Amino acid sequence: MKDDQIQVLKADITTLEVDAIVNAANESLLGGGGVDGAIHRAAGPELLEECRILNGCPTGQAKITKGYRLKARHVIHTPGPVWHGGNQNEDQLLSDSYRNSLELCKENHLSSVAFPSISTGIYGFPVQRAAAIAVKTVLDFLGRNEMPRQVLFACFNEEAVKAHEKALQEMS
Ligand code: AR6
């Protein structure tokens, strides 16, 4: 794996110029708070119009739209799991969110994608545990597929940066 294929950044994901940014959405896909609210504000109302015709999305699955006023060409919307203590399939569902988002990149020939730390805000998933799942799922996928070529972890705070860097050091 090339050194720059995975990067951890402290960044507002709405500012990134990549082929796709991933939205930590909810099953309605009709917007919300956190990164979801920020993405909808930055993309403009056309994003919500396109989301309305998608008829929602189950937890762990992913759907793609255009990026509208964002610098990113596309938004991949995935509802991660709500944390219920760890015994309700949360780890698998979080991995599914990452893997299904990466599958959409592959299907749509998207080279670069940025992820927020899915489920670790309003949905309460512990950050270190989530980062380990995120990094493992991305490494597995990149090891088996040509696309995407570059994955960015767009962390909103220092705790998330440290968690992803630690997971990367331990696994790569
Ligand atoms: N750029 C990057 N990361 C961000 C940004 C941003 N602009 N804003 C927040 N984060 P959350 P969830 C980080 O709560 O836990 C919504 O209402 C944040 O610090 O956005 O998956 C949806 O509609 C945290 O690390 O998403 C759902 O109802 C991470 O993004 C629910 O929240 C995820 O936090 C989803 O909850």
Side-chain angles (χ1 to χ4, degrees):
M1 191 159 302
K2 280 189 262 120
D3 279 357
D4 61 350
Q5 217 182 348
I6 299 181
Q7 284 178 37
V8 180
L9 309 175
K10 188 170 171 187
D12 176 348
I13 202 167
T14 64
T15 65
L16 299 179
E17 208 169 333
V18 282
D19 292 328
I21 61 172
V22 175
N23 181 14
N26 58 61
E27 288 189 329
S28 79
L29 299 187
L30 298 180
V35 71
D36 193 2
I39 288 172
H40 275 275
R41 278 194 298 279
E46 298 95 336
L47 179 61
L48 184 58
E49 274 174 44
E50 185 175 355
C51 284
R52 280 190 206 288
I53 59 177
L54 296 177
N55 285 317
C57 182
T59 299
Q61 303 297 303
K63 294 193 177 178
I64 190 166
T65 65
K66 289 186 276 192
Y68 300 98
R69 298 176 202 176
L70 292 164
K71 286 184 186 153
R73 283 164 51 213
H74 299 275
V75 180
I76 294 171
H77 306 262
T78 183
V82 178
W83 178 256
H84 290 293
N87 292 318
Q88 300 209 26
N89 209 27
E90 292 98 326
D91 290 353
Q92 183 62 52
L93 289 166
L94 186 63
S95 179
D96 290 350
S97 278
Y98 281 91
R99 202 190 59 259
N100 286 316
S101 298
L102 293 162
E103 288 286 356
L104 281 178
C105 293
K106 181 181 168 183
E107 280 168 26
N108 290 278
H109 311 288
L110 305 182
S111 188
S112 57
V113 59
F115 284 94
S117 182
I118 299 168
S119 286
T120 65
I122 293 163
Y123 281 179
F125 206 115
V127 176
Q128 188 67 66
R129 181 163 171 153
I133 292 165
V135 167
K136 181 174 193 316
T137 307
V138 167
L139 283 171
D140 282 353
F141 195 92
L142 295 186
R144 288 183 288 106
N145 295 281
E146 292 283 306
M147 289 289 228
R149 290 193 216 285
Q150 191 183 37
V151 175
L152 308 178
F153 290 111
C155 298
F156 209 45
N157 55 47
E158 208 50 50
E159 188 190 12
V161 169
K162 290 216 173 80
H164 287 79
E165 283 176 346
K166 181 166 181 276
L168 259 178
Q169 273 166 13
E170 285 170 2
M171 282 179 230
S172 52

